[in-house]
Amino acid sequence: MSTDSAFTATRRHFLTSAAAISLVTVSTHVRAQSISGVLPWQPFAAEPPTPIGPQGWVFFTPAEAAAVEAIVDRLIPADDLSVGGKEAGCAVFIDRQLAGSYGSSSRLYMKGPFLPGLPTQGYQGKETPAARYREGLAAIDAYLRKTMNGRSFVHLNADEQDQFLKTMEAGKVDLGGGINATRLFDLILGNTMEGFFADPIYGGNRDMVSWKMIGFPGARYDYRDHISKHNQRYPLGPVSIAGGRPEWSR
Amino acid sequence: MRLSFAFAAATALIASFGANAAENQFDQLERGRYMAVLGDCAGCHTLPGGAPFAGGVALQTPFGKLVAPNITPDSETGIGNWSAEDFRRMMKTGIGHNGIRLYPAMPYPAYSRMSDGDIGDLWVYLNALQPVKNAVVANQLPFPFNIRLSLIGWNWLNFTPADFTPNPQKSAEWNRGAYIVEGPGHCGVCHSPKTWMGADKTNVALAGEVLQGWMAPKITAAPRDGLGQWSLDDITGYLKTGTNRFDIASGPMAEVVSNSTSKMTDADLRAVAVYLKDLPGETQTRSAIAADSAAMRTGAAIYADNCSACHGGNGEGTPKLFPRLAGNALTQQADATSLIRVVLAGSQAGATHAAPTAPAMPSLAWRLNDAQVADVLTYVRNTWGNAATAVPAEDVAKLRRQLQSGN
Amino acid sequence: MARKLPPKDVVIVGLGWTGAILAHELTEAGLDVVAIERGPWRDTATDFNIGYAPDELRYSVRRDLFLQPAQETLTMRNTSSQTALPMRDFGSFLPGTGVGGAGTHWNGHTWRFFPSDFNLKSHLTERYGAARIADLTIEDWGLSYDELESSYDRFEYLAGISGKAGNIQGKLQDGGNPFEGVRQREYPLPAMQMSYAPTLFAEGARSIGFHPFPTPSANLSKAYVNPLGIAMGQCTACGFCERFGCANYSKASAHTTILPVLMRKPNFEARCNSEVLHVNLDATRKMAKSVTYVDASGEEWEQPADLVLLCAYGLHNARLMMLSGIGKVYDPSTGEGTVGRNYCYQTNAGVQLFFDDKNFNPFIASGALGQTVDDFNGDAFDHGSVDFVGGAGINCIPTNGRPIGYRPVPPGTPRWGSAWKKATAENYLSVLGFSSQGSSYATRGNYLDLDPTYTDRFGRPLMRMTFDFPDNDIRMSHWVSDRMEEIGKALKPRQMVSSRRQKSWNSVPYQSTHNTGGAIMGTDPKKSAVNRYLQSWDVPNVFVIGASAFPQNAGKNPTGTVGALAFWAADAIRDKYLRNPGALVSA
């Protein structure tokens, strides 16, 4: 029975291992390369999502952040159904995503040559989401300053903002720099929706606001009591990964 | 020390050829191998994945660290230069080769009850092992505990060598079970409450004890928190396969099952079960904490959202997979250390041939704070007919610190 | 320079479903086996921890468990007249990785193909004439359903498949699939408890004379102990099935059905984070001698073995053969070559029904909790009066209500703003969706080969996928969509939206990860890459196990058949090959 770096957790191993483990983020998972004769396991081994971190912006400049907050607040406006995208934290979500592997396309195939593709061949650009936001927000800002009397997106009123977003969506605005306006709009819209509906641990969907709005119970795992209750409302509120729900605390 | 006839006979051939003579009489070797199983020598003397009985496993005692020595017949680093009488004396009195006193982490107070014949068979078996060169520094206790002479006082206060005395009013099966539990099985080393000096409190034998961050539960026949609800088959099934309709062995007991009890004969397992079921254990009735108390209400919510998907909405569990919580003695122990531990650190169940799944409880330390762990355990301990003390958040905090600092 | 390791009896490339089954069977036979897996070790309590497993962003959108295109991807084009470009992100299909493979995070629909699927070419020719299938390159498998039946049974009992048999030893069973092939016995577990949407769907289907039945599910309906003694739990309908590992041991996978026993065997070793670059052949090019792989630290190693099993997922099996010179790569212009031909996929379409007065609780779901109508699948019906062959299963298996991906709104609803929000909130609970999963029949022009331009991080050419839906399959799909709309109408929704399958195949939106073919089995070494035992015609000590073996794809998920083929191949290796190594079928 041999292992390279995997080990079973016997009472003694607990005692002799250097098990100084941070609660929050550290992965102490067994990533053994060669495993034989044992089903590996380690105490405290867990890989919860990385928490959002302190307030502030990690990727966006203050001006970019302000613009994105204003955009998400039109994509998801505050109304009687829910708070707006800004208050829900969608811009914070996008900021953190762009600072991570999503923003840098580190999981994608980014080898050249980069050639224009057919619609069936998907995105073939060299630009990562981080680059596309940086470039795109600058282009939007330049465009608006040129066409809206020197005003940026944050200075427009709600109707003007909606109007601009619609023309972007329709591809009827030339942002220059070879930017496809529709694609850029779709990118921002997609990330905004991700932020609005993802678990709050990622910075958006504050207080599970979107889940409460639609009736999605969140990170639950046992619905056996309700499967056969056809056409009946599910009675319990949503649960988030990190915070659970208010009923967990006295 | 006079040699008993049986012991002398058992070891005569060994003595005449020297300590390492491999006189492998098949029947004696087999008995000796089985003695090593009953005594779970491998549990301390074999490092996981290491050479059999070559030592190296560290035990964290309340007094400091001890490392189990190499008991292969290597003449430099093992017991190769011991005599049969050295071994017998060590098992009976805790005094080893050259008069060196063993700490009772080597459970000689229990092994002392073994018969000379059994000890002799074990000696023959150990001498048949592959000698391994592995120097182990056993005594790693801090001062003043590292002074072995202090054991003279300890022994004087806590230990008298004694043979096992069968109870003539009980059956042969009961007596066999008593012999195993009190002798080679040394169950009390974990399961009996300890005095401040680390000796067994004999008047509450097998009433449960906390050690190394686990709570070895009460295994008398007490109805609520002992084996009162377990049938004989529940006990033998658990010892043989690591599972029964209540529990799956994990933590230190998983290793006991895989190294020792799963290899015992059915007759011996039954004898142990008969004996344990006959140990009265105090009957303490208590009422459950009210369901509408604050801790119970938060505990119920936490349970529904974290635990019920495996342990069931009614704490029923799934045999061989998720331990039953309802009506389970393990959830109602006076001390909740094991429960706190598995919630925080997770736990992997042991595997036997009959029950190979080894399911693992996920670690929830990252998700639940101390109050939440405490409340959900209070809920588990007081619902579905269970009744036990509430779990204070400070206990969770303390164990969390202890486990995460590697102590 | 790769350092040479001590030899093993068997090297298995990939430790997913097929790798685990083969490893178990061959270690039981006493062989010394190493499985080399390029992904990480995974286990339930750590990687599918109940507290963070239900995370849509992480596992469904960012896809933490899946193969990253940065590690390997393919190039794609619809026809040979186009230039293939890389799938820089996966979309239409999502290959898995890691110990357990995609079997870790699949949905669990577990099917047997129809008997007619196995000798499809002969069967269709006999029934409808050769002209009907002239523009398709359908082939017979070289293996009959009856021969595979006991292997299907073994996989189903290994996995605890929960369902209702429709035909036991020739007797039709109430509540089961009347069109299925004969099975010897019932499923190991009963069908799952049904939620509202599939129940309503079944009522509608029944009301117009179709024959719905519970989808055979690898999400277990009850606690179960499988033949290896491994215990599994009851599915709790958490709604985080496909793309997610199961936190409570209730989805069949290598983790939950095999690994606890396999990992403890002293004659088995799993090497993780180690990527096999190619199989090495000897000077005769007719024997494999070893595989070369790169470990996590970037070191190259050569692992010699007597037997090499490619269990790396169908697509990667085909690529490894191409990179290793096992068999000749297919060239559609000449029709020569066997590796890469008969690549097929799945032809899917969908229907959404919007209701005002119903609550379907879409989040109460599991991957295979649903109802299926097989009346129009495969050759279950007479195609005499239609202009296509093949068919589709119609499945109402609402697997989830995860809101990033699932928030249906009627067509024409804006994608943002208050109107969007209102429609989303109003419709989320009250939409019933079902879909057709159709057969995908082979053509000359749909194939796999090596890309001339794009390479992976080791400099190996990516595999190139040339695929579009054949016209036959499009006609089939539209016809089945007509049937789906009949079911939809019977349920009287406020609005029905029918999404029909159109050409060309778009690699971006997710459709299915049922990529089949590329190393097909058959009786003719000129048209197939492996024989009926999945043994390479060209290199007899290489077996290639996966959906790469399917000559064409049926209107059913592949895994049941893949699992059965794994047992079938294991038997052949153990009972035939080991006794007499060499070609098991004369060419």
Side-chain angles (χ1 to χ4, degrees), chain A residues 105-124:
Chain A
S105 293
S106 66
R107 297 182 178 192
L108 270 47
Y109 182 82
M110 295 305 275
K111 283 180 81 172
F114 290 84
L115 301 171
L118 301 165
T120 57
Q121 292 179 312
Y123 179 69
Q124 293 294 325

Side-chain angles (χ1 to χ4, degrees), chain C residues 361-505:
Chain C
N361 289 321
F363 41 84
I364 299 181
S366 78
L369 204 183
Q371 297 271 328
T372 299
V373 165
D374 243 7
D375 296 54
F376 310 108
N377 208 344
D379 203 50
F381 62 103
D382 187 351
H383 290 61
S385 58
V386 299
D387 61 352
F388 60 85
V389 288
I394 301 173
N395 296 307
C396 180
I397 311 171
T399 65
N400 76 93
R402 302 185 296 261
I404 298 175
Y406 180 85
R407 23 189 183 97
V409 291
T413 305
R415 295 190 299 154
W416 52 283
S418 280
W420 159 80
K421 203 195 288 187
K422 185 162 181 292
T424 298
E426 279 176 356
N427 287 287
Y428 173 74
L429 295 172
S430 50
V431 174
L432 190 163
F434 55 99
S435 58
S436 62
Q437 176 170 246
S439 50
S440 180
Y441 287 165
T443 66
R444 253 163 236 98
N446 286 342
Y447 67 103
L448 306 168
D449 67 354
L450 291 177
D451 193 274
T453 308
Y454 293 95
T455 56
D456 65 13
R457 70 196 191 287
F458 298 117
R460 300 177 299 169
L462 299 183
M463 193 156 71
R464 175 170 63 181
M465 175 181 284
T466 307
F467 176 82
D468 201 353
F469 300 107
D471 292 338
N472 172 80
D473 294 358
I474 296 292
R475 293 194 296 269
M476 173 279 295
S477 184
H478 283 234
W479 190 89
V480 176
S481 284
D482 293 341
R483 309 284 78 75
M484 288 208 284
E485 289 170 19
E486 286 165 9
I487 298 174
K489 283 200 193 80
L491 291 173
K492 299 190 179 31
R494 178 186 88 226
Q495 181 179 9
M496 173 165 69
V497 178
S498 183
S499 307
R500 289 171 171 254
R501 176 54 50 196
Q502 311 290 358
K503 286 176 88 127
S504 292
W505 169 59

Side-chain angles (χ1 to χ4, degrees), chain B residues 123-136:
Chain B
W123 172 245
V124 166
Y125 171 69
L126 290 177
N127 274 280
L129 294 173
Q130 178 67 27
V132 174
K133 266 210 189 338
N134 183 29
V136 173

Side-chain angles (χ1 to χ4, degrees), chain B residues 94-111:
Chain B
I95 300 169
H97 182 59
N98 289 339
I100 293 176
R101 290 173 183 277
L102 273 64
Y103 290 95
M106 163 67 181
Y108 62 84
Y111 292 154

Side-chain angles (χ1 to χ4, degrees), chain C residues 100-216:
Chain C
T104 301
H105 49 73
W106 66 316
N107 258 331
H109 309 189
T110 309
W111 293 104
R112 301 186 179 196
F113 283 3
F114 290 153
S116 53
D117 287 322
F118 290 91
N119 60 335
L120 193 65
K121 181 176 184 179
S122 318
H123 174 89
L124 293 178
T125 304
E126 193 188 304
R127 196 170 182 187
Y128 306 113
R132 183 71 85 91
I133 59 170
D135 51 339
L136 303 169
T137 54
I138 292 172
E139 299 292 347
D140 292 348
W141 292 45
L143 157 78
S144 72
Y145 170 87
D146 287 341
E147 288 179 289
L148 204 56
E149 199 280 332
S150 61
S151 299
Y152 270 126
D153 178 278
R154 276 166 82 189
F155 184 69
E156 287 164 1
Y157 273 74
L158 176 76
I161 302 303
S162 307
K164 180 80 195 75
N167 183 336
I168 298 182
Q169 303 188 16
K171 270 189 58 175
L172 290 187
Q173 312 284 316
D174 249 350
N177 181 4
F179 303 100
E180 71 185 20
V182 172
R183 43 192 314 126
Q184 287 308 304
R185 55 177 175 163
E186 191 47 275
Y187 284 98
L189 293 179
M192 301 182 83
Q193 204 182 22
M194 283 296 135
S195 53
Y196 185 34
T199 305
L200 199 64
F201 164 86
E203 283 170 17
R206 220 171 277 123
S207 75
I208 56 174
F210 303 162
H211 304 83
F213 59 91
T215 312

Side-chain angles (χ1 to χ4, degrees), chain A residues 77-147:
Chain A
D79 58 22
D80 54 356
L81 281 175
S82 82
V83 300
K86 173 176 166 178
E87 195 180 326
C90 293
V92 174
F93 168 86
I94 296 175
D95 176 76
R96 302 305 198 267
Q97 291 292 306
L98 294 178
S101 66
Y102 168 74
S104 66
S105 293
S106 66
R107 297 182 178 192
L108 270 47
Y109 182 82
M110 295 305 275
K111 283 180 81 172
F114 290 84
L115 301 171
L118 301 165
T120 57
Q121 292 179 312
Y123 179 69
Q124 293 294 325
K126 205 185 309 201
E127 292 75 31
T128 63
R132 294 175 67 193
Y133 269 83
R134 191 121 284 158
E135 204 181 60
L137 291 172
I140 288 171
D141 197 59
Y143 176 86
L144 288 173
R145 282 179 189 281
K146 201 166 69 175
T147 58

Side-chain angles (χ1 to χ4, degrees), chain A residues 1 11-12 14-16 19-21 23 39 41 43-44 46 48 220-222 224 239-241 245 247-250, chain B residues 43 49 57-58 212 252 255 295 298 301-302 305-306 308 341 345-348 363 365-367 372 375 400 404:
Chain A
M1 176 158 121
R11 80 183 109 159
R12 294 135 209 115
F14 280 129
L15 315 171
T16 56
I21 294 161
L23 248 193
L39 191 66
W41 179 81
F44 288 103
R220 287 185 171 286
Y221 223 84
D222 189 0
R224 282 175 290 189
V239 171
S240 72
I241 289 172
R245 56 179 164 124
E247 288 82 353
W248 287 14
S249 301
R250 306 203 207 165
Chain B
V57 179
Q212 299 173 178
E255 174 273 306
T298 53
I302 298 166
D305 300 348
N306 287 273
S308 87
R341 183 207 195 98
S347 181
Q348 184 188 49
S363 166
W366 62 275
R367 193 184 204 195
Q372 289 163 345
D375 287 356
R400 195 196 288 263
Q404 292 192 320

